[in-house]
Structures are given as C-alpha cells and as structure tokens.
C-alpha cells in the first residue's frame, strides 16, 4: 500500500510549523493536523523577548501568523482536526485517525506540545500576562529588581525560583506543605540563597490588583488566617501536561507522559519522531521547539532516503 503523505505532522505550534517548513522545502508531501489554532502556545503569549532576531521582542500571535505563512508557502497543508488515534506505527505505512478521516504516511512527526497546569485560584486568568506567569525564563526579566512569588514545591519551582533569584530582589515560595518535593540538591541551593523567603503550609486563593498584579490572597493552612501578600509577580509551577494520550503505550514516555526521543528527535519506532514541548528532554522554550522541529524534519528526510 502506498502512503498518501511523506510526512504527517501532529500539531501546528512552533515545533510543528518549523518541521513543516523543512519537510516542505525538502519536497516531502506534508500534512499538518491541528486541533485548535495555528501557533499553539504562541497564541496565548503576549510579548516574547528571548526569541533571536527580534531585538524589540515579538508578539506571539504575530509570530504564529508569520510562521504559518512561511511554512505553507513551501507546500504543507494544514487541516483543522483533533488526532484521536494513530495505528501501525511500527509499519512502513502509518495511520492517523481524526474524528471522521483516516490518513496514511511514511513518517510521523509528533509536535503536540502541552500546557501548564493552572493553580485554580480566582483572578489567575485575569492577571495571566500581567504578573501571573508559568515561565520564569520567559517573563522573569519584566520584574527585574522587584519582589516576586513562586508557587509550588517541586523541581520546576526550585529551579525557576533560583533562576529568578539572579534577577529579582526577593523570591517568596508559597507551598501548601511544610516541606518541599524538589530534589535535595535544588532544595539546598534555595535554602542557602538570601533571596528566598518561605510561606510554608500556605495556599494562594486569589490574585489581586488593578491593571497589573499587586498581591496574592494567601491562606495559612495551620492557622486559617487569610491575608494579602504583596507581590509584583507570581510564577506558578504546579505541573505541565503533555498532549500525548493518543500514543500512550506505543512509545517510551516519562511518568507524566512526555515522549522520549533522541538527539535526532527519533523515538524508539523507525519513522516516528517527537519534537518540542511534548518531548521529555525539552527545555520548553520557543527557540528549542523550533530547533527540535527542524531536527525532526531533517531526520524524517534521512529516514526516507535510506
Ligand atoms: C504564556 C506563555 C508564555 C511563554 N513565553 C515564552 C517566552 O517568552 N519565550 C520562550 O522561549 N518560550 C515561551 N513559552 C513557551 C513556548 O511558547 C513553547 O515552548 C513553545 O511554543 C512550544 O511549542 P510546541 O510546538 O512544542 O507546542 P505547542 O505550542 O503546545 O503546540 C502544540 C500544538 O499541537 C496541537 N495539538 C495538541 N494535541 C493535538 C491533537 N491530538 N491533534 C491535533 N493537534 C493537537 C495544539 O492545539 C497546539 O497547537 C511560553 C509559553 C506560554 C504558555
């Protein structure tokens, strides 16, 4: 059986669009399947200051549009449908199913990304991008020299909190337990830093402010006291969930469902690649998602040339 496509790319975020740009230019017949809107996480990102080539920064939606135009110019088509299942991944011709269609392809590039878990506090959406953030590396610089909070007690909270401590005046960690979950070495590093303050056994119930975030309404779980803790920013680290359910059990994954791929973005199955935020080794940065997508496309091209 002949496959309809040389490459099917799942997800039209930064990684998927970059992959499509390269498969398109390599003359591979390419389909990109996207369940929401072209751009993925870019669509909910305001100003991006750390993507090379834009000294004044670039707005997420504008960049997504530019990437879409550039990619489709070289041939790939984008269809809007949620991928519900993939089959025959170990075979030469792989099958992708959406609600009402079935597609076949020689290579499959999984670029379905993921999303940060929300805290669920009141005002979280209102102040997202105005002080509430899920990425210190992305937004820390907007709060240079100011007092900020980190919410969570795992590795990501400690790692990103430490990153922030080099930029801001102080980092207050609010954690619902009275001990951290993070690995010991990350805990020790934070405990030693004079920049860290600790709100143990505290939960954030609400984010408050006017135009921008000014504070968090916190509850001390031991005493029941609720009060406003002033802060210019709140960085939330309560998990990240990758969009990988449709390949569960077929590919190697970490405990949270991030797909393992090697330096060429190859998964354990020949002709199947994973790139961007959905992969376990991702730095979850735009630049690296783009780089991953390019690497996956070139690896897919080499796979077909064998
Ligand atoms: C608010 C915010 C701010 C950020 N700021 C920065 C920043 O300043 N600098 C920086 O470097 N990075 C930043 N990031 C991170 C950066 O945006 C991501 O690392 C990058 O966009 C990930 O791209 P991706 O293509 O791997 O995944 P995504 O952008 O998540 O794209 C995946 C796509 O796959 C689609 N999809 C998922 N499941 C399916 C399915 N079953 N079928 C079909 N389609 C599917 C989704 O709809 C989505 O469009 C930020 C992220 C957020 C959320």
């Amino acid at each position: 059986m002949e496959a309809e496509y040389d490459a099917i790319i799942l997800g039209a975020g930064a990684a998927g669009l970059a992959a499509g740009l390269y498969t398109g230019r390599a003359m591979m017949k390419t389909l990109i399947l996207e369940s929401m809107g072209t751009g993925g996480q870019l669509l909910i990102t305001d100003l991006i200051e750390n993507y090379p080539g834009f000294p004044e920064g670039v707005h997420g939606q504008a960049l997504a549009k530019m990437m879409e135009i550039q990619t489709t110019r070289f041939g790939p088509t984008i269809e809007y449908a949620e991928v519900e299942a993939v089959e025959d991944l170990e075979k030469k011709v792989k099958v992708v199913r959406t609600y009402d269609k079935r597609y076949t392809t020689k290579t499959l590039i999984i670029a379905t990304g993921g999303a940060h878990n929300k805290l669920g506090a009141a005002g979280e959406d209102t102040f997202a991008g105005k002080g509430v953030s899920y990425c210190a590396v992305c937004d820390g610089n907007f709060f240079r020299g100011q007092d900020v909070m980190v919410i969570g007690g795992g590795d990501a909270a400690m790692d990103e909190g430490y990153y922030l401590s080099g930029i801001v005046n102080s980092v207050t960690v609010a954690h619902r337990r009275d001990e951290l979950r993070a690995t010991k070495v990350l805990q020790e590093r934070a405990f030693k830093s004079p920049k860290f303050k600790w709100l143990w056994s505290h939960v954030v119930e609400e984010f408050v402010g006017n135009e921008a975030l000014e504070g968090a309404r916190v509850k001390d779980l031991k005493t029941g006291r609720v009060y406003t803790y002033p802060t210019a920013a709140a960085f939330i680290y309560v998990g990240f969930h990758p969009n990988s359910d449709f390949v569960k059990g077929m590919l190697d994954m970490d405990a949270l469902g991030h797909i393992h791929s090697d330096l060429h973005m190859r998964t354990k199955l020949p002709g199947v690649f994973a790139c961007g935020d959905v992969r376990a080794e991702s730095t979850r940065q735009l630049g690296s998602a783009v780089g991953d997508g390019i690497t996956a496309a070139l690896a897919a091209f080499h796979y077909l040339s064998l």
Side-chain angles (χ1 to χ4, degrees):
M1 184 183 54
E2 243 335 87
E4 293 165 87
Y5 291 96
D6 295 318
I8 291 186
I9 298 170
L10 310 185
L17 290 172
L21 175 63
Y22 274 64
T23 55
R25 285 172 61 81
M27 305 298 285
M28 292 165 68
K29 189 180 175 198
T30 302
L31 171 69
I32 304 176
L33 289 168
E34 166 57 50
S35 59
M36 307 275 278
T38 306
Q41 292 174 60
L42 287 177
L43 297 180
I44 53 163
T45 305
D46 189 24
L47 188 65
I48 301 161
E49 288 197 315
N50 58 0
Y51 189 64
F54 296 91
E56 305 300 325
V58 59
H59 287 274
Q61 294 193 3
L63 184 62
K65 194 69 209 165
M66 287 191 273
M67 283 183 171
E68 178 186 350
I69 292 168
Q70 191 179 8
T71 296
T72 51
R73 194 183 133 207
F74 292 102
T77 47
I78 303 178
E79 281 187 29
Y80 292 93
E82 178 164 357
V83 172
E84 299 201 323
V86 288
E87 294 157 13
D88 296 342
L89 292 195
E90 66 293 343
K91 296 190 180 159
K92 279 209 166 321
V93 177
K94 303 159 200 323
V95 175
V96 177
R97 286 186 191 277
T98 60
Y99 170 67
D100 59 352
K101 279 194 181 169
R102 178 184 183 274
Y103 307 86
T104 54
T105 182
K106 294 177 192 162
T107 67
L108 183 71
I109 298 178
I110 303 169
T112 42
H116 295 274
N117 292 342
K118 289 196 174 173
L119 186 64
E124 185 170 350
D125 289 341
T126 312
F127 291 105
K130 298 173 189 158
V132 169
S133 169
Y134 304 84
C135 177
V137 178
C138 312
D139 299 331
N141 242 279
F142 295 121
F143 305 99
R144 191 173 275 267
Q146 300 185 56
D147 300 306
V148 307
M149 283 177 103
V150 161
I151 299 158
D155 283 353
M158 288 309 105
D159 213 24
E160 302 262 311
Y162 189 74
Y163 173 85
L164 285 168
S165 71
I167 301 171
V168 301
N169 181 52
S170 73
V171 178
T172 298
V173 177
H175 185 40
R176 64 197 156 119
R177 301 210 170 86
D178 52 14
E179 60 180 354
L180 299 172
R181 231 179 337 104
T183 44
K184 280 278 175 266
V185 59
L186 297 181
Q187 293 194 26
E188 290 310 320
R189 197 173 62 174
F191 289 146
K192 273 193 204 142
S193 165
K195 293 273 186 89
F196 276 77
K197 300 176 185 176
W198 304 91
L199 289 178
W200 298 110
S201 304
H202 274 65
V203 290
V204 173
E205 296 193 327
E206 187 182 358
F207 293 105
V208 293
N210 289 302
E211 289 298 298
L213 184 72
E214 290 169 16
R217 294 283 294 164
V218 294
K219 181 176 186 178
D220 183 333
L221 294 175
K222 294 224 161 126
T223 63
R225 182 180 161 232
V226 178
Y227 59 100
T228 301
Y229 193 87
T231 190
F235 293 87
I236 299 172
Y237 295 104
V238 292
F240 179 90
H241 56 274
N243 300 317
S244 62
D245 282 355
F246 58 91
V247 279
K248 218 158 241 173
M250 300 178 197
L251 300 175
D252 290 338
M253 292 180 179
D254 68 12
L256 296 173
H258 301 94
I259 302 168
H260 286 297
S261 58
D262 68 10
L263 285 176
H264 300 281
M265 306 301 134
R266 294 177 298 207
T267 66
K268 70 169 188 183
L269 296 177
V272 179
F273 306 85
C275 56
D277 281 16
V278 78
R279 68 186 289 254
E281 297 75 14
S282 168
T283 56
R284 294 206 204 116
Q285 290 293 289
L286 181 57
S288 36
V290 167
D292 280 4
I294 293 170
T295 306
L298 293 176
F301 178 75
H302 286 299
Y303 167 81
L304 290 186
S305 321
L306 288 177

